[in-house]
Amino acid sequence: MAKILVVTSGKGGVGKTTTSAAIGTGLALRGHKTVIVDFDVGLRNLDLIMGCERRVVYDFVNVCNGEATLNQALIKDKRLENLYILAASQTRDKDALSKEGVEKVIKELSEQFEYVVCDSPAGIEKGAHLAMYFADEAIVVTNPEVSSVRDSDRMLGLLASKSKRAEEGLEPIKERLLLTRYDPERVTKGEMLGVEDVEEILAINLLGVIPESQAVLKASNQGVPVILDDQSDAGQAYSDAVDRLLGKEVPHRFLDVQKKGFLQRLFGGRE
Amino acid sequence: MLAITTLELAHNDLDRLDRQLQAKVAQAPAFFENTPLVLALDKLPEAEGTVDLNALMQLCQHHGLRTLAIRASRAEDVSAANALNLPVLPPSGARERLVDPAPVKVVEAEPRPSRIITQPVRGGMQIYAQGCDLIVLAAVSAGAELLADGNIHVYGPLRGRALAGVKGNTQARIFCQQLAAEMLSIAGQYKTAEDLRREPLWGQAVQASLSADVLNIRSL
Ligand SMILES: Nc1ncnc2c1ncn2[C@@H]1O[C@H](COP(=O)(O)OP(=O)(O)OP(=O)(O)O)[C@@H](O)[C@H]1O
Ligand SMILES: [Mg+2]
């Protein structure tokens, strides 16, 4: 049985799609057969970031509605053997997805894959609800600012009360915090919340901290998930996060302003 | 004796109510001039959804009806009324029982067990402990709302709103381990974050209680 991961946030533009692409690719890199599903119907972003937008024939909505089979719609990544993408439709709106349709597709994906990564749309409405409803684990993407933290908090409330696991009284969704677009300099200046502040408010397990990085925009323009840029800080931070997701203990990096020497940068973790 | 009109809401369709009131006013225009009104929401079917109290009151006012109080049992209505500083009367059935002159001493009913919450109360969540105390063993986020007819205890930071004694119990108290609340209210007397932040005890373990209509904050 696959593990269903939802990448969610409440607030828009915080880095969900960037994260879904990076984490999904990272899991595949480590040998796990993975599919990334774009739940953001009407916007379609994931395929651009994954660089497969020219190969989309059928999409998630087509499969939900039985207009195409899953295997017709799954797009194989051209870089990695065991990575697939299920694109969102650009021509439909959010109401094109139904709970029954989504359940059917997720079930079918669970039989073929080890990990199903669901890229949630922003908000707390239907689309976001469907993306998280069947999840086993949630990666709550948060930027270090008050409005994003509030929305994540709200989303955590929904994960705990409105998911399938909650409704059926099963073990709750495992919640993890991914702090993205973290800029230590602005934290020092008091313009952004620090890691500890966010951890204290949300009080959930910290999966990782992804620094604000030029590499993200560069990677998305090239259609390459940033985790494949292993020279970049953001790529390395996503790699660490994937390792932690798989149960490894890895110290957190990129939390401090980079004015240190080379060795310190290599070995300076948290603590 | 002052005549008070009760408007018992059977539906939550403001446009329809507008038309219905208009028809009534046409029948007896003199009657509808600054008429004191109790808005009864307790007979409203559950399926009718959340009442926009502000809009409802404005609509009534438009037709010459002045809302003095609401009659309600649902926590959301009670808290909406509290937010508008509007008195809340108990639902009609309950009120009749109150009038019943039962000797207080004889009542040896089992105490109502407290409502205990062990998970964090996140933004957007509302928890109501009806007829009893509310005990929360986790953090209460900004944007969350706790309501209790009795006392409220929070063994963690209280960052949301807490309304104790919502049915008017002035003896109710609020206890929390870290005061960071958006609002504290006891029996309708409230302080918002703006006032609370000026308290020297902000961020600390406190209890709030009423004395002579003033909400007092003291160290725990
Ligand atoms: N770590 C980062 N450093 C710099 N820019 C970033 C980082 N993460 C994301 N971004 C940028 O932020 C923008 C939004 O990212 P992304 O599309 O992943 O967010 P999203 O949460 O999926 O948005 P939406 O809610 O619209 O789906 C993009 O321009 C992306 O390049
Ligand atoms: Mg997105």
Side-chain angles (χ1 to χ4, degrees), chain A residues 150 152-158 160-161 175 200-204, chain B residues 119-125 139 141-144 157 159 178 182:
Chain A
R150 289 245 174 149
S152 293
D153 182 74
R154 187 104 206 245
M155 183 47 75
L156 285 164
L158 297 178
S161 61
E175 304 157 336
E200 194 195 315
I201 297 173
L202 295 179
I204 57 170
Chain B
Q119 295 300 311
V121 186
R122 303 282 183 184
M125 288 182 156
S141 295
R159 303 188 177 105
Q178 189 192 329
E182 292 170 317

Side-chain angles (χ1 to χ4, degrees), chain A residues 27-96:
Chain A
L27 289 167
L29 267 177
R30 286 159 183 71
H32 300 285
K33 195 173 177 199
T34 301
V35 59
I36 314 174
V37 184
D38 191 348
F39 274 77
D40 206 347
V41 176
L43 285 174
R44 233 183 89 179
N45 251 319
L46 179 70
D47 48 342
L48 289 172
I49 291 188
M50 294 299 297
C52 64
E53 74 278 8
R54 298 208 189 97
R55 292 189 290 138
V56 177
V57 182
Y58 295 108
D59 57 53
F60 189 19
V61 173
N62 293 137
V63 186
C64 273
N65 294 345
E67 296 152 4
T69 66
L70 191 53
N71 287 328
Q72 283 176 311
L74 281 173
I75 303 167
K76 195 176 169 313
D77 185 73
K78 44 184 188 297
R79 293 164 291 246
L80 293 174
E81 192 52 40
N82 41 17
L83 181 60
Y84 290 78
I85 289 97
L86 189 52
S89 170
Q90 224 164 5
T91 53
R92 312 284 186 96
D93 63 25
K94 288 187 206 73
D95 294 326

Side-chain angles (χ1 to χ4, degrees), chain A residues 13-18 20 38 40 43 45-46 49 119-122:
Chain A
V14 294
K16 292 179 294 294
T17 302
T18 304
S20 302
D38 191 348
D40 206 347
L43 285 174
N45 251 319
L46 179 70
I49 291 188
D119 179 19
S120 172

Side-chain angles (χ1 to χ4, degrees), chain A residues 79-146:
Chain A
R79 293 164 291 246
L80 293 174
E81 192 52 40
N82 41 17
L83 181 60
Y84 290 78
I85 289 97
L86 189 52
S89 170
Q90 224 164 5
T91 53
R92 312 284 186 96
D93 63 25
K94 288 187 206 73
D95 294 326
L97 292 178
S98 68
K99 203 182 250 181
E100 296 69 33
V102 171
E103 178 164 35
K104 188 192 78 178
V105 177
I106 297 258
K107 209 169 151 211
E108 218 176 314
L109 289 171
S110 304
E111 286 157 13
Q112 296 185 32
F113 290 93
E114 275 179 80
Y115 285 93
V116 179
V117 178
C118 304
D119 179 19
S120 172
I124 53 173
E125 307 299 326
K126 189 178 173 195
H129 183 238
L130 281 176
M132 66 80 156
Y133 188 74
F134 298 99
D136 301 309
E137 297 192 14
I139 297 174
V140 179
V141 180
T142 307
N143 290 168
E145 44 152 291
V146 172

